[in-house]
Amino acid sequence: MKNWLLAILLAWALPALALDTLTPAPPAGPAAREAPPTAADPEIEQRLVKLATDLRCLVCQNESLAGSHSELAEDLRREIRDQMRQGKDDNEVIAYLTERYGDFVLYRPPFKPVTWLLWLGPLLFLGIGLAIWYVVLRRRRAAAPDTVDASALAAAARILEEKSDK
Amino acid sequence: MIPELGNLALILALLLAITQAVLPIWGAQTGNATLMRVARPAAQGQFAFLLLAYACLLHAFVINDFTVVNVARNSFSQLPVVYRVTATWGSHEGSMLMWVLMLAFWTLAVSLFSRRLPEDMVARVIGVMGVISVGFILFLLATSNPFLRIHPAPLDGNDMNPLLQDWGMIIHPPMLYMGYVGFAVAFAFAIAALISGRLDAAWARWSRPWTTVAWAFLTLGIVLGSWWAYRELGWGGWWFWDPTENASFMPWIAGTALIHSLAVTEKRGTFKAWTVLLALSAFSLSLLGTFLVRSGVLSSVHAFATDPSRGAFILGFLVVVIGASLALYAWRAPRMISGGDFTWFSRESLLLANNVVLLAALGSVLLGTLYPLFMDALGLGKISVGPPYFNAVFVPLIAPALFLMGVGPLARWKDASLPDAVTRLKWALAIAVATGLLLPFTLDGFNPWASLGFFLAMWIALSVLVAFRDRLKHAQGPWLERLRRLPRGFWGMQLAHFGLAWGVAGITLVSNYETERDVRMEPGSFTELAGYRFTFVGSEEYEGPNFVAARATIEVTQDGRRAFTLRPEKRIYNASGMPMTEASLHPNFFRDIYVALGEPLDDSHTAWAVRVYHKPFINWLWIGAALLVLGGFLAASDRRYRIAVKPETVPAAAGLKAQGA
Amino acid sequence: MKRWLPLLVFLILAGFLAKGLFLNPREVPSPLIGKAAPAFSLPVVGNAEAAFTPESMRGQVWLLNVWAPWCVACRQEHAFLMQLARSGAPPIVGLNWKDKSREADALLARTGNPYRAVPDDLDGRVGIDYGVTGTPETYLIDRDGIVRLKHVGPIDESAWNKKFEPKLKEIGT
């Protein structure tokens, strides 16, 4: 029991060691200046990054709109920022982009009849797999546990005793 | 002269491969011992010539012979020697040559370590590997010859892609290919068993160590790729579900299912047809991966410069090899009689459940990767399937498999007792549930995904400890002695599972609790993150061997005391003009501090956009992966694979042994 | 019979992969086809007073060619566009996309101008409205202002004959 308690305490202590502060410590040194965030509006920027991570950079070979350095990606991020500043919500921004670029720009495929198989496929695979598991087990269930010969059991017990005496 | 020698060596290797492919199999079919004995020397000769060919290409790169097209396209006179060496496998042609060399290496290994196998089996296995070699060497000679020359030679090369100029890239491809190609051995064993009709527990025992070693290499290769991406790409991500990543992940999942399924077939003689099918599938998925990455059918950052004619060749080869193997399977399937019953709660049923879940996950990755192609081919438009899909689908699917990992190893074969398992595991379950439920609240509040991750990691880890405790309880002697006497198969399995748990813990922590700051910095300014203060001291320019760089110096302090200094860089490579971010990392057991330079904010390059990341427990990912790989190698080196056991001497009534753990 | 299932599944998969060799995963169909061409009003290169709007082309079938002076493939296409302009094909309007260095005017003077008008899309906003991802891209717009066709990449003889001619016949020119 003691060992288990130790294990729990250790496991719980560890994450805390890394995440000692999620709030910043007070600044030291009067001469230093706090660096301003790169983005003019950090809140919108956070929304932008979160949304753009799930959008595709259209001129890259499979990169997200958030990470790409290409010019078109910069332009599109600028557009999205403008839209967000105008108060549009995430769905409206997505609609804006898909009207112009189609569903290709979304890394999260929309749920429509043509993608039903995509989204429901995994569930289907699991379902089929579980059905097969069930069927196989039905067939293979041991009829009855093997009845053990009493003398064989005694012989086995003797062997075990001999071994433990060594 | 040397490149021509290399080309000649390649042709000779092809001739030997043809010999290796045809004669031994024919010999095995007709019972001709002489023909069967051709297998080993042919394989060894093929390897020797391929090694020679590879050495010739290496020579061309090292001496900067730009008359060779491959060198001109992928190297540069100022490229440091170590990268000139890795450039041999940095291109489509070069990496294909490495692929073929690796296959010859595995065949060589089979020819050397198969003394105790029946001759006809060895002949068939080496023969099948020879067929695959023939296909790929032909592919090289016909469409992707690395020894092509160009006259007049350019003055200098096009340079290696700067992203590849990192030592993660030095070991990642060779390890990956060792794994990819290594599954060909299991494939060949399966084909040999199908042809000979001899599909028994012995076949499973022979296949197991080869498969496990290949799997361990593939794991290592994938993880190295991930680690490289994390350090080099500058945004701290380590998995993107890119088609190329998926191309290596799919054979890995199949391989994992295979090593577990082989365990059942070896111990109990059940699941024969299924295991054979998995063995065929694992290598087929490797071949599919090779096709996807080199044909241009899917769009990926990682894809080689592509050419539909090459794609057509590989696809043709795929259809022949995979089609023939599956046809052989269908033909021979009725002959595979499986013995052994088992109950609802037994190791067999749990391993079957493991396979079901893994295959569902594999199917999902395959579906997601190919769905855009399916839709486009049917004229239904173009979509993208990216990380949001895969993360949404994969995580819920893999969770049950991870849960089973805590129960399976403790269950007996044939008929395990559920009450017994509950008794042994109830504390582990209670603690894991408690950790899952409560730990997130001590960190950052309610977080169901983090809860799931913590629960699973703790559950598996504790289950491993329970397994050790129970195993050692009945043993005798001092602790260390008892531990040492445990078979390597046991150690390997527990270590691998424990490593996976550690990795899951790391993934859960870093994915849910990482933080970053994106700020404009100039000399004197500072920012704070996770208790550290980052002060931008200044930046300077310097010249590297084949690039020009701007390097910033950032002092990091903690509680007012100096902790360390970071020096992120922005490089422009001379030959290609390509910009690259070299992030600066400060790792330790508990977290990585990661700083990358963005764009310069003014023309004088004194002010910069800087991104600072705090990645808690990211290194647990690599540690866990290392244990996973180590566990694999350990398990493969178990004594029982190295002891000769002739099939005749194994008593018919296997009794306790068949039930043993 | 289920033993033939793996082979069957594989062959179907191989069929798709074979088809895939003939497709281009980067070529994206435009969602604007069948919809009204997005409206805009841009100054014209060479004449800052004048403005161009798609409205002004109502009643005729026309081509909107998105190009840029810095675009190499556009130079390749240029000769063919000159030929089109002379031959009585539908009028071509050349959208000057993100021409930061202001070279369009000089370039057209030097190489010849196949365009009816050259609206100047400096910041690329109109390009985004049209779903432009690079140059050259060309849209075929009908009399009612509906987009009927989008072609990505330079137009050459074969592309014109295979894609544009049949569409023009369909619309009725």
Side-chain angles (χ1 to χ4, degrees):
Chain A
M1 242 335 265
K2 251 191 295 210
N3 300 333
W4 293 119
L5 279 170
L6 206 60
I8 316 167
L9 284 169
L10 198 66
W12 281 39
L14 283 174
L17 279 163
L19 305 168
D20 36 16
T21 44
L22 289 165
T23 54
R33 298 176 295 291
E34 172 125 29
T38 310
D41 189 341
E43 251 182 62
I44 296 229
E45 202 63 18
Q46 226 179 10
R47 258 185 79 199
L48 168 70
V49 170
K50 190 147 177 284
L51 186 63
T53 311
D54 289 350
L55 295 171
R56 184 173 198 149
C57 159
L58 297 152
V59 293
C60 317
Q61 288 266 59
N62 204 29
E63 270 181 68
S64 81
L65 198 60
S68 167
H69 294 300
S70 71
E71 238 195 282
L72 184 65
E74 305 260 4
D75 289 348
L76 285 173
R77 285 196 293 264
R78 182 194 64 207
E79 281 305 307
I80 298 177
R81 241 178 251 122
D82 285 348
Q83 300 254 322
M84 286 182 170
R85 261 191 233 118
Q86 287 165 28
K88 302 263 165 66
D89 69 18
D90 283 3
N91 285 330
E92 289 171 310
V93 174
I94 290 178
Y96 173 83
L97 288 170
T98 50
E99 266 163 41
R100 287 152 180 74
Y101 292 98
D103 288 339
F104 187 71
V105 74
L106 303 171
Y107 266 141
R108 178 188 296 267
F111 189 67
K112 18 158 100 141
V114 81
T115 58
W116 279 349
L117 183 58
L118 177 66
W119 281 105
L120 299 175
L123 216 61
L124 199 68
F125 293 148
L126 190 62
I128 295 175
L130 288 174
I132 294 177
W133 182 82
Y134 180 78
V135 166
V136 168
L137 263 136
R138 278 272 303 274
R139 255 190 264 141
R140 296 235 185 236
R141 201 173 24 185
D146 292 345
T147 45
V148 186
D149 185 2
S151 61
L153 201 57
R158 246 180 289 128
I159 296 173
L160 281 169
E161 268 173 44
E162 281 170 36
K163 277 251 159 92
S164 52
D165 285 338
K166 286 212 183 95
Chain B
M1 186 53 215
I2 309 260
E4 276 68 35
L5 186 61
N7 198 19
L8 182 63
L10 210 53
I11 296 174
L12 291 173
L14 176 65
L15 294 174
L16 277 167
I18 295 174
T19 314
Q20 179 192 329
V22 171
L23 297 183
I25 297 185
W26 190 1
Q29 288 300 103
T30 57
N32 184 331
T34 319
L35 288 180
M36 286 197 277
R37 263 184 260 128
V38 168
R40 287 187 227 261
Q44 287 154 9
Q46 195 210 139
F47 175 72
F49 279 110
L50 282 174
L51 193 61
L52 178 61
Y54 201 86
C56 293
L57 186 63
L58 190 62
H59 174 87
F61 268 97
V62 169
I63 63 163
N64 283 319
D65 182 357
F66 295 118
T67 65
V68 177
V69 176
N70 197 260
V71 178
R73 286 225 195 101
N74 298 290
S75 185
F76 190 54
S77 52
Q78 293 168 7
L79 199 61
V81 178
V82 64
Y83 295 128
R84 273 185 256 160
V85 168
T86 68
T88 51
W89 61 76
S91 66
H92 162 73
E93 296 84 356
S95 65
M96 219 52 241
L97 184 59
M98 164 159 278
W99 211 104
V100 142
L101 181 66
M102 291 284 176
L103 183 59
F105 179 72
W106 278 99
T107 319
L108 175 73
V110 170
S111 77
L112 293 175
F113 294 114
S114 57
R115 297 291 159 194
R116 298 177 197 109
L117 266 67
E119 277 309 296
D120 63 329
M121 180 120 230
V122 174
R124 288 195 177 104
V125 169
I126 294 185
V128 169
M129 292 180 82
V131 172
I132 302 172
S133 295
V134 168
F136 277 106
I137 302 180
L138 258 176
F139 176 62
L140 269 172
L141 286 170
T143 71
S144 322
N145 195 326
F147 296 109
L148 292 175
R149 299 271 222 170
I150 184 170
H151 291 292
L155 288 170
D156 211 335
N158 292 345
D159 203 10
M160 191 177 177
N161 186 329
L163 282 174
L164 305 180
Q165 295 179 32
D166 169 78
W167 68 274
M169 280 315 280
I170 298 177
I171 12 175
H172 158 66
M175 294 299 104
L176 193 72
Y177 286 11
M178 278 292 280
Y180 250 7
V181 175
F183 282 141
V185 180
F187 179 84
F189 267 100
I191 300 274
L194 283 173
I195 296 178
S196 67
R198 237 202 340 258
L199 202 66
D200 49 16
W203 162 77
R205 185 158 44 79
W206 296 324
S207 300
R208 240 178 131 179
W210 295 102
T211 312
T212 311
V213 170
W215 173 89
F217 272 115
L218 187 59
T219 312
L220 184 59
I222 293 175
V223 169
L224 283 171
S226 212
W227 181 66
W228 162 79
Y230 169 69
R231 284 174 32 258
E232 279 303 297
L233 296 181
W235 50 280
W238 44 271
W239 189 259
F240 193 63
W241 294 107
D242 177 86
T244 326
E245 292 174 313
N246 296 348
S248 64
F249 195 48
M250 289 189 282
W252 186 87
I253 302 177
T256 307
L258 179 59
I259 58 184
H260 289 85
S261 193
L262 273 170
V264 183
T265 307
E266 181 192 348
K267 275 282 168 14
R268 299 277 293 147
T270 31
F271 299 170
K272 280 183 196 160
W274 174 243
T275 305
V276 165
L277 190 59
L278 269 179
L280 297 179
S281 304
F283 186 60
S284 301
L285 285 166
S286 290
L287 289 178
L288 179 68
T290 307
F291 170 76
L292 289 176
V293 169
R294 293 164 196 271
S295 62
V297 150
L298 295 173
S299 174
S300 160
V301 242
H302 202 299
F304 290 100
T306 55
D307 184 353
S309 70
R310 288 170 172 171
F313 192 112
I314 304 181
L315 185 61
F317 183 60
L318 233 78
V319 169
V320 166
V321 171
I322 303 178
S325 66
L326 291 176
L328 184 62
Y329 169 84
W331 176 40
R332 293 297 233 196
R335 300 221 189 156
M336 292 183 265
I337 309 160
S338 279
D341 287 339
F342 48 89
T343 58
W344 293 101
F345 189 73
S346 61
R347 199 180 284 197
E348 289 96 320
S349 86
L350 291 171
L351 281 174
L352 183 61
N354 152 293
N355 264 222
V356 160
V357 174
L358 284 177
L359 267 293
L362 171 61
S364 310
V365 175
L366 186 64
L367 188 66
T369 307
L370 292 180
Y371 210 80
L373 173 60
F374 292 155
M375 275 186 62
D376 199 11
L378 294 171
L380 295 171
K382 281 216 159 64
I383 59 161
S384 300
V385 180
Y389 171 81
F390 290 106
N391 289 328
V393 147
F394 188 79
V395 174
L397 275 179
I398 208 70
L402 292 173
F403 180 75
L404 287 172
M405 209 188 285
V407 190
L410 276 84
R412 279 199 309 269
W413 294 99
K414 186 163 176 165
D415 187 3
S417 152
L418 186 57
D420 182 58
V422 170
T423 313
R424 292 155 79 194
L425 289 169
K426 63 177 190 251
W427 280 111
L429 188 64
I431 295 170
V433 170
T435 311
L437 287 176
L438 301 175
L439 190 55
F441 287 101
T442 68
L443 299 169
D444 203 17
F446 177 67
N447 187 332
W449 290 114
S451 286
L452 182 64
F454 292 144
F455 164 69
L456 289 170
M458 190 56 114
W459 166 242
I460 297 170
L462 291 174
S463 161
V464 167
L465 294 178
V466 167
F468 270 100
R469 181 197 70 186
D470 289 349
R471 194 65 181 250
L472 295 171
K473 213 167 18 184
H474 300 291
Q476 272 121 9
W479 275 100
L480 217 57
E481 191 52 43
R482 277 190 257 178
L483 279 173
R484 218 179 299 138
R485 259 192 272 139
L486 288 172
R488 285 195 199 171
F490 177 81
W491 267 105
M493 164 174 71
Q494 301 299 349
L495 199 63
H497 288 180
F498 190 76
L500 192 60
W502 204 334
V504 168
I507 294 174
T508 308
L509 285 161
V510 81
S511 307
N512 287 289
Y513 299 105
E514 55 181 339
T515 50
E516 68 177 87
R517 286 259 188 285
D518 195 352
V519 288
R520 299 166 189 263
M521 298 194 105
E522 49 182 14
S525 64
F526 70 87
T527 188
E528 279 163 343
L529 186 68
Y532 294 94
R533 170 182 287 219
F534 301 83
T535 309
F536 190 92
V537 173
S539 65
E540 56 175 5
E541 306 216 332
Y542 80 97
E543 267 184 46
N546 53 338
F547 59 84
V548 173
R551 177 169 50 198
T553 305
I554 297 183
E555 291 287 339
V556 185
T557 58
Q558 194 179 25
D559 300 327
R561 270 167 296 133
R562 260 201 66 189
F564 48 88
T565 310
L566 292 172
R567 295 202 169 84
E569 296 179 13
K570 196 120 190 139
R571 296 180 181 174
I572 310 251
Y573 281 80
N574 299 338
S576 55
M578 258 186 82
M580 261 278 294
T581 313
E582 277 294 311
S584 183
L585 267 179
H586 186 265
N588 74 24
F589 187 72
F590 298 108
R591 90 293 176 272
D592 268 5
I593 296 290
Y594 185 109
V595 175
L597 277 183
E599 297 307 311
L601 296 172
D602 57 24
D603 292 325
S604 60
H605 290 205
T606 46
W608 289 86
V610 178
R611 283 190 316 273
V612 180
Y613 298 87
H614 174 250
K615 301 232 170 227
F617 297 103
I618 179 84
N619 293 308
W620 282 21
L621 244 131
W622 320 124
I623 295 172
L627 290 179
L628 192 58
V629 172
L630 196 61
F633 283 125
L634 208 57
S637 68
D638 191 285
R639 269 185 86 230
R640 70 178 187 276
Y641 301 125
R642 292 177 279 140
I643 294 175
V645 179
K646 297 208 173 43
E648 301 84 31
T649 64
V650 173
L656 280 169
K657 230 200 217 146
Q659 298 223 22
Chain C
M1 281 338 278
K2 63 177 183 197
R3 53 200 173 107
W4 293 101
L5 204 56
L7 180 65
L8 193 63
V9 168
F10 170 66
L11 289 174
I12 295 175
L13 182 66
F16 275 108
L17 294 176
K19 183 87 207 287
L21 287 173
F22 296 97
L23 301 168
N24 180 353
R26 305 283 310 282
E27 204 178 276
V28 187
S30 171
L32 290 179
I33 303 212
K35 300 217 178 79
F40 62 87
S41 172
L42 288 177
V44 167
V45 165
N47 183 357
E49 310 299 307
F52 174 85
T53 75
E55 270 293 302
S56 65
M57 302 297 286
R58 275 294 171 91
Q60 37 180 335
V61 177
W62 58 291
L63 295 167
L64 180 67
N65 174 258
V66 182
W67 72 289
W70 44 259
C71 152
V72 176
C74 305
R75 310 273 180 106
Q76 286 169 13
E77 183 186 51
H78 186 266
F80 190 73
L81 291 181
M82 291 297 288
Q83 206 185 320
L84 280 181
R86 279 191 289 263
S87 70
I92 314 173
V93 172
L95 184 73
N96 184 27
W97 193 63
K98 295 169 65 93
D99 176 21
K100 295 208 170 71
S101 44
R102 322 307 295 134
E103 286 173 358
D105 214 355
L107 180 66
L108 289 174
R110 227 181 26 245
T111 60
N113 188 350
Y115 301 123
R116 173 76 68 86
V118 188
D120 192 14
D121 185 16
L122 187 57
D123 58 11
R125 279 223 160 84
V126 173
I128 291 179
D129 276 343
Y130 275 79
V132 169
T133 54
T135 48
E137 292 183 3
T138 311
Y139 298 81
L140 178 65
I141 303 172
D142 70 12
R143 295 184 190 82
D144 305 312
I146 308 288
V147 176
R148 302 300 290 262
L149 175 64
K150 175 177 176 179
H151 176 78
V152 172
I155 310 180
D156 56 11
E157 188 87 44
S158 99
W160 182 257
N161 293 334
K162 284 209 201 99
K163 283 173 92 173
F164 285 85
E165 285 283 16
K167 213 26 120 148
L168 284 169
K169 254 191 219 104
E170 202 184 300
I171 305 174
T173 309

